[in-house]
Amino acid sequence: MILVTGGAGFIGSNFVLDWLAHVGEPVVNLDALTYAGNLRNLEPLRHDTRHTFVRGDICDRMLIDRLLADHRPRAIVHLAAESHVDRSIQGPSAFIRTNIEGTFALLEAARAYWSRLPEHEQRLFRFHHVSTDEVYGSLDPDASPFTERHAYEPNSPYAASKAASDHLVRAWYHTYGLPVVTTNCSNNYGPLHFPEKLIPLMIVRALAGKPLPVYGDGLQVRDWLYVKDHCSAIREVLARGSAGETYNIGGRNEQTNIDIVRHICALLDELRPDPSGPYARLITHVADRPGHDRRYAIDAGKIERELGWRPTETFETGLRKTVQWYLANAEWVADVQSGAYRDWLAANYAGRGDHTA
Ligand code: NAD
Ligand code: TYD
């Protein structure tokens, strides 16, 4: 079996569902259920005996020791994190705790467990650390996309905390020989995405007839990947990636934020026309994010060449599926919005100089 951390979050729940559908190997899913963790995401697994959910904190070393001893996983897929840049600007301490101290606790527990495994199991064991392209910092408009050899230049507290965790993972390989792999992925989108992030936020707000808050000029560029394609890449790296290696994952799909928002509006105009007029009328430019990275872009050549991985969705097909998912799952959205999400919205958009909250 495998141990997944953060498996009730956006990518984690997509990964657990995808893993059980494609691989079928049992999963122990450790998640603290912060505001971003949602057990409802795992509803299809309610009666699936291959899935064991454990509510707990990755900083809790005793709990992790016990889970490893009881379940004897052959791999750990580490997704648990604080993941939202704007939240990291408002309050970085949770990011330092979970992303750095939590990864440290998990590495130490994994090392103790791994060092006691029989030799053949030691060779096969993997600690798969799921990270982000944001550790590389911002690219100039004409610069080449990030390769695995790009210098780390994190700019937000979130990116800095993920960079620190990547360094710890690297050190545990070089110093202790723990067989780790790290993947640095670009921006994900798709079903079950918490509506604080750009794409689900815009869909949900447009449907509610609320202003669509584009930070600054909206010409910042991100490289977007459909979440299921990220899940398939993690599966490939876990199956065939080499210990000690890092792999960049991305969709070769650079988009400006404003183009994405317009694209979402056009899809909604087609799928759920608003009698009051085109959704693009709701687009509002608001104060920019401090230290806002201008451009991210991933060179996915290594994982494509070495592991033969390719994304299956284009941005056109992936975004259409995503909008359709949110239209079909209004109850999921309502559930999420009735929680801490509302307080968070008020805090983030207060003082940005318009009426977005
Ligand atoms: P998310 O915020 O949706 O989910 C994070 C999950 O981790 C939640 O279920 C939360 O309850 C859990 N968690 C938080 N703190 C915890 C703790 N101390 N102990 C146990 N569980 C805890 O995040 P996501 O978007 O699904 O991202 C998952 C991982 O992928 C993160 O490591 C993130 O850095 C990375 N990543 C995300 C993206 C993206 O676009 N979302 C892109 C590249 C990499
Ligand atoms: P986000 O989804 O927060 O991901 P990240 O910051 O990790 O890339 O934001 C994606 C882009 O969208 C980023 O450039 C910030 C921008 N953005 C807005 O313009 N308005 C918003 O309300 C949000 C949440 C993000």
Side-chain angles (χ1 to χ4, degrees):
M1 53 81 59
I2 63 168
L3 173 67
V4 173
T5 70
F10 163 49
I11 301 172
S13 56
N14 274 288
F15 176 76
V16 170
L17 293 164
D18 174 272
W19 177 267
L20 289 173
H22 287 92
V23 182
E25 189 180 4
V27 172
V28 170
N29 183 350
L30 172 65
D31 195 298
L33 296 182
T34 67
Y35 79 95
N38 187 347
L39 275 184
R40 200 174 168 147
N41 298 354
L42 301 161
E43 186 68 21
L45 304 176
R46 181 189 275 268
H47 301 296
D48 193 325
T49 52
R50 299 170 303 172
H51 178 243
T52 306
F53 183 80
V54 179
R55 183 172 191 180
D57 192 326
I58 56 164
C59 299
D60 183 345
R61 174 69 195 273
M62 272 166 57
L63 170 65
I64 304 166
D65 285 343
R66 184 166 60 72
L67 289 177
L68 293 174
D70 288 354
H71 297 282
R72 300 187 58 78
R74 68 168 181 91
I76 298 173
V77 182
H78 176 34
L79 294 123
E82 289 292 336
S83 69
H84 188 35
V85 173
D86 292 313
R87 280 180 192 265
S88 81
I89 294 168
Q90 291 216 4
S93 68
F95 290 72
I96 304 306
R97 182 181 178 276
T98 287
N99 300 359
I100 305 179
E101 291 173 25
T103 301
F104 167 64
L106 204 59
L107 281 167
E108 278 295 78
R111 180 165 75 93
Y113 165 72
W114 169 79
S115 66
R116 290 192 292 268
L117 290 175
E119 206 184 310
H120 69 284
E121 287 183 35
Q122 276 193 347
R123 244 181 300 119
L124 296 175
F125 184 81
R126 285 290 181 278
F127 184 104
H128 186 140
H129 177 57
V130 176
S131 193
T132 167
D133 60 355
E134 303 195 23
V135 297
Y136 298 125
S138 191
L139 279 174
D140 288 337
D142 51 356
S144 304
F146 303 126
T147 68
E148 291 77 3
R149 305 189 68 78
H150 198 281
Y152 272 42
E153 292 173 344
N155 291 320
S156 69
Y158 164 66
S161 67
K162 291 297 289 187
S165 67
D166 292 10
H167 292 326
L168 291 175
V169 171
R170 176 189 162 91
W172 262 240
Y173 171 73
H174 285 281
T175 303
Y176 304 113
L178 185 70
V180 306
V181 281
T182 295
T183 48
N184 294 87
C185 190
S186 60
N187 284 59
N188 284 215
Y189 68 101
L192 305 171
H193 205 179
F194 194 85
E196 66 184 350
K197 306 279 171 73
L198 180 74
I199 289 179
L201 182 109
M202 295 298 170
I203 298 171
V204 166
R205 289 183 70 90
L207 289 171
K210 291 183 174 171
L212 307 180
V214 172
Y215 294 166
D217 62 9
L219 297 179
Q220 304 84 0
V221 173
R222 297 290 182 267
D223 185 348
W224 294 88
L225 182 70
Y226 192 64
V227 63
K228 293 289 177 193
D229 284 322
H230 187 187
C231 295
S232 72
I234 295 173
R235 274 195 275 116
E236 288 297 337
V237 171
L238 202 53
R240 294 184 298 112
S242 302
E245 291 294 315
T246 64
Y247 298 88
N248 283 357
I249 304 170
R252 298 187 188 281
N253 171 48
E254 292 182 50
Q255 304 275 341
T256 63
N257 293 339
I258 188 72
D259 280 349
I260 289 184
V261 178
R262 290 197 185 114
H263 198 151
I264 291 169
C265 289
L267 281 167
L268 287 173
D269 287 338
E270 176 198 328
L271 298 168
R272 181 72 58 85
D274 181 349
S276 308
Y279 286 97
R281 75 184 192 286
L282 299 170
I283 294 175
T284 315
H285 289 265
V286 300
D288 207 350
R289 172 189 279 172
H292 199 171
D293 285 336
R294 201 67 185 162
R295 174 177 170 235
Y296 303 141
I298 279 276
D299 178 344
K302 179 175 173 180
I303 188 172
E304 291 172 355
R305 265 190 323 276
E306 295 187 9
L307 305 182
W309 173 84
R310 291 277 186 293
T312 57
E313 300 291 344
T314 63
F315 193 59
E316 182 62 47
T317 60
L319 194 61
R320 180 173 287 273
K321 281 186 183 178
T322 304
V323 171
Q324 284 168 332
W325 188 88
Y326 280 88
L327 288 173
N329 289 277
E331 216 184 299
W332 181 92
V333 173
D335 195 40
V336 166
Q337 283 182 316
S338 65
Y341 177 70
R342 280 187 179 280
D343 305 336
W344 152 245
L345 265 191
N348 187 43
Y349 293 102
R352 282 190 191 267
D354 91 334
H355 48 292
T356 49

